[in-house]
Amino acid sequence: MKIARKLGQAVATVTLGMSLSAGALAGEVNIGFTGPLSGGAALYGENTLSGLRMAVDEINAAGGFDLDGEKTTINLVALDDRYSPSQAATNAKRLKQESEVSAVFVPHSGGIFALQDFNEKDDFLVMAYSSVPSITEQGNRLTLRIPPTFDGYVKAFTDYALEHQGEKLGMGGATHEYAKIWATMMKDEWQAKGGQVVADTPMDYNKSADFFTGVSRIISESPDVMFVGGASEPTGLVVQQARQMGFQGGFIVMDQAKLDEVADVAGGLEMLEGAIGVVPLSVYDTPAAKDFIKRYKAEYDKTPGSEAAYNYLALHALVEAMDATDSTDPKTLRAAVGDALKNMDASKNPYEVSEVTENGGFVTETTLAVVKDGEIVQEEID
């Protein structure tokens, strides 16, 4: 058992230039991951992967699970795609052909859409960590969307900012597919509710660490609010540089970035005064969330974000479905995950997800937080 666990951890850091072992060992199920483990979004990818690793370690340390009468462990096979949709597709093909995975976790919409082009034919589940609504609106019967869709955030963030901060919006989000979709919906919602978009300057958060040119263009138009967001680390740099250039307005932070993680990079929560974003896991007050945070800190010596928590609970639900159905068949698992979420131990479900929609979306309450007087405060949403 120790050998199997060590093998899982070693393979989880494999790079594209190395070969993978073919197939799963007896009494072992391979689960795939493709995501950014290098480049500007590497921290985002590692945060996602850490939740999966934590779930795998717990499952295996407990002796695995019962699969058709045989004790079975999980082997996590992870590949770096550097946030590239085409590389994500290549990785998924390798994971299916060489490691016989029944599910691939992927934390970016471009990669998810790329995998959806062939996952039904190749027969594997796409475990999609992205809140783009269209992921589960395309009729793909082997996709599960893990976080809630962001259309609720767009509406709630717009309403709050227009009421409390002003009508002039400067757009400075990232350039990857997910951010483009978010920005389009944000711009449409803002203008539909009477706001004015005074600047629209998307920036490549994955390649650049100096956002001076883009940020200065936005600030020159004197916005009341800046829309920012990609992964948390580069988003923090954008916020930091905006403040250094004298911007004193608020921020609308895309849900991929988390307020507490952005603040760590930007120089503290005072740099984010007036920022609107999703409620970080660290602010949740439920027993399940507190318990997960405590255990994660003990393992990784840092506070977890939603990437870790959502993927942690999703993998536990997937294994619960395997246990309940005695199957690794993707179609069987897709149908069984809803019941698995309801039946699994509450400590494995820090966001208390208990329902899966017919089209494959996990159901979680939409949340909104604002930075006020140097603290993250949760606000009620109508």
Side-chain angles (χ1 to χ4, degrees):
M1 198 69 67
K2 287 183 179 178
I3 293 174
R5 287 200 296 273
K6 288 180 180 178
L7 176 62
Q9 292 170 350
V11 176
T13 59
V14 72
T15 60
L16 293 173
M18 299 173 65
S19 62
L20 301 176
S21 58
L25 302 175
E28 183 178 73
V29 171
N30 285 336
I31 298 294
F33 168 88
T34 178
L37 300 176
S38 61
L43 178 62
Y44 171 70
E46 285 290 351
N47 285 343
T48 303
L49 191 56
S50 69
L52 297 173
R53 285 175 176 151
M54 185 170 168
V56 169
D57 288 346
E58 289 179 357
I59 292 163
N60 292 349
F65 65 101
D66 186 275
L67 184 62
D68 199 21
E70 182 177 15
K71 277 297 181 181
T72 304
T73 57
I74 296 295
N75 180 43
L76 181 61
V77 187
L79 294 174
D80 181 13
D81 62 28
R82 301 184 296 275
Y83 228 152
S84 164
S86 61
Q87 189 60 61
T90 299
N91 288 353
K93 287 283 188 181
R94 290 185 65 192
L95 289 164
K96 180 62 181 179
Q97 293 168 5
E98 299 179 22
S99 299
E100 300 174 3
V101 300
S102 54
V104 177
F105 284 77
V106 54
H108 54 101
S109 60
I112 293 163
F113 292 134
L115 269 57
Q116 285 181 323
D117 284 342
F118 59 88
N119 74 302
E120 289 177 300
K121 178 177 177 294
D122 286 8
D123 197 32
F124 66 89
L125 266 174
V126 173
M127 299 297 289
Y129 185 73
S130 174
S131 56
V132 175
S134 57
I135 286 169
T136 45
E137 293 173 356
Q138 304 189 117
N140 189 293
R141 302 308 301 169
L142 288 181
T143 294
L144 286 166
R145 189 199 70 247
I146 301 169
T149 58
F150 65 63
D151 45 357
Y153 297 133
V154 171
K155 295 173 183 177
F157 293 4
T158 296
D159 289 342
Y160 188 93
L162 284 171
E163 180 180 352
H164 294 91
Q165 297 174 345
E167 297 183 354
K168 295 190 293 182
L169 177 66
M171 304 281 293
T175 55
H176 56 275
E177 186 67 22
Y178 176 73
K180 289 178 181 177
I181 298 169
W182 231 105
T184 297
M185 293 182 68
M186 185 76 227
K187 188 174 183 179
D188 290 346
E189 184 74 12
W190 190 267
Q191 293 175 326
K193 291 185 174 176
Q196 178 186 2
V197 176
V198 297
D200 190 356
T201 307
M203 296 172 280
D204 191 339
Y205 283 39
N206 197 37
K207 294 181 179 178
S208 178
D210 184 357
F211 302 96
F212 176 83
T213 301
V215 171
S216 61
R217 286 175 181 169
I218 297 169
I219 292 176
S220 69
E221 300 299 327
S222 302
D224 301 309
V225 190
M226 280 183 62
F227 168 73
V228 297
S232 293
E233 191 169 23
T235 301
L237 294 175
V238 172
V239 168
Q240 182 185 64
Q241 291 179 26
R243 292 299 193 215
Q244 289 171 347
M245 287 183 231
F247 179 65
Q248 297 182 5
F251 294 96
I252 293 176
V253 182
M254 190 176 79
D255 67 330
Q256 184 180 3
K258 307 306 181 291
L259 294 174
D260 50 355
E261 297 174 353
V262 172
D264 286 343
V265 177
L269 281 169
E270 62 272 14
M271 300 287 276
L272 278 172
E273 189 67 25
I276 306 163
V278 296
V279 178
L281 182 65
S282 60
V283 178
Y284 274 70
D285 198 34
T286 64
K290 286 183 174 180
D291 178 61
F292 174 77
I293 292 169
K294 180 181 179 180
R295 289 184 287 114
Y296 185 95
K297 281 183 175 179
E299 181 73 18
Y300 294 102
D301 195 29
K302 65 177 183 178
T303 301
S306 60
E307 293 88 3
Y310 268 120
N311 284 277
Y312 167 88
L313 74 86
L315 182 51
H316 268 296
L318 190 63
V319 172
E320 179 80 16
M322 291 180 190
D323 194 359
T325 62
D326 285 327
S327 176
T328 59
D329 173 66
K331 296 182 181 66
T332 302
L333 297 177
R334 165 66 178 78
V337 163
D339 285 338
L341 283 163
K342 295 175 183 177
N343 296 331
M344 70 186 196
D345 190 277
S347 68
K348 306 297 190 292
N349 193 353
Y351 277 109
E352 300 180 342
V353 181
S354 61
E355 183 181 351
V356 178
T357 63
E358 184 178 351
N359 62 9
F362 286 21
V363 178
T364 312
E365 183 181 357
T366 301
T367 63
L368 182 154
V370 181
V371 178
K372 293 181 177 180
D373 299 324
E375 293 185 1
I376 299 174
V377 180
Q378 184 168 355
E379 297 282 345
E380 293 295 326
I381 294 178
D382 184 2

